[in-house]
Each structure stands twice: as C-alpha cells, then as structure tokens.
Amino acid sequence: YLGLDELSDASTMKLHDILQTNDKGIVTYFRKRTSCSCLDEMRKQYKGVKKTGKCCNDQCPLQGREAERSSLLYCTGCKIIHYCSTECQKVNWKYHKHQCANIAKLNSFEYVV
C-alpha cells in the first residue's frame, strides 16, 4: 500500500485520471500493463471512442459531468483536479483551494530513490 505522499506527480495524476475516465481509458491503461492478450478484444470495441473525464465541480451542468479528456482544464496548482470550463473551476475553487494547497505541497517534495 502506497500513501499519496509516496507517489510521484505523474503517478498521482495517472491514478486520478484512471479513476475519472470512461471504460476505454481503463481498458487502455490495463492492456498496456498486462502481458496477455485478454483485453485486446475489448480494446477493439472501444476503438474510435473518445476518452472522457469527469469535471470535478459537483455542480457541473454537463450530463454526468463528463467531457472529452483533451478539452479538460487541469488545476495549475495541484495539477490533478480538472474541470470542463473556467466557470466550473471558479465555482469549485472555494471547495478545492484547501485540498489544492496540500496536494501541491506533497508534489513539491523531491523523491529520492
């Protein structure tokens, strides 16, 4: 078990992205990390489907808070939380700002191997 403070920026971002994505993103992630071909068929089913992510604003007006991942805006402070628009980011800032500061502190530590 790894705590959040033991993960690198990239690992933390990837983990968060996986938890916020659609089935295509999950299949793609695990297919790259398994040596068998068990997920190849599922990957074919999702080919052509755009990757989506969820806006972190609980009051987002989008259906299911889902947006195409390439259009999501990441918080420049913590680089983990993402939003579908600047409006959603502004609405959610009063809730996110305390988390943001803590996550940014954790990400600023240098990891020594």
Side-chain angles (χ1 to χ4, degrees):
Y1 175 79
L2 288 176
L4 183 60
D5 56 333
E6 297 173 20
L7 296 173
S8 68
D9 286 347
S11 297
T12 305
M13 288 175 62
K14 186 55 127 172
L15 179 61
H16 187 269
D17 288 346
I18 291 166
L19 296 173
Q20 298 291 326
T21 191
N22 59 2
D23 291 344
K24 177 186 179 174
I26 294 168
V27 169
T28 301
Y29 177 83
F30 286 108
R31 184 178 168 271
K32 289 178 181 177
R33 288 156 180 83
T34 58
S35 57
C36 69
S37 60
C38 57
L39 294 174
D40 289 350
E41 194 60 38
M42 285 185 81
R43 182 179 176 271
K44 288 177 188 174
Q45 292 174 5
Y46 291 111
K47 197 165 189 136
V49 173
K50 296 193 183 272
K51 289 183 181 179
T52 62
K54 287 196 179 218
C55 178
C56 292
N57 175 17
D58 291 335
Q59 299 157 5
C60 177
L62 296 178
Q63 182 178 353
R65 298 182 357 220
E66 285 193 13
E68 189 175 328
R69 182 134 30 118
S70 63
S71 67
L72 290 174
L73 309 169
Y74 283 85
C75 172
T76 56
C78 68
K79 299 177 179 76
I80 292 177
I81 302 299
H82 44 265
Y83 301 97
C84 67
S85 65
T86 54
E87 291 80 22
C88 275
Q89 186 174 14
K90 287 176 184 176
V91 167
N92 196 57
W93 178 242
K94 61 184 168 187
Y95 305 108
H96 174 62
K97 65 182 168 184
H98 301 293
Q99 292 175 345
C100 183
N102 292 333
I103 294 168
K105 281 181 197 173
L106 288 173
N107 286 338
S108 69
F109 289 118
E110 289 189 28
Y111 296 94
V112 179
V113 181

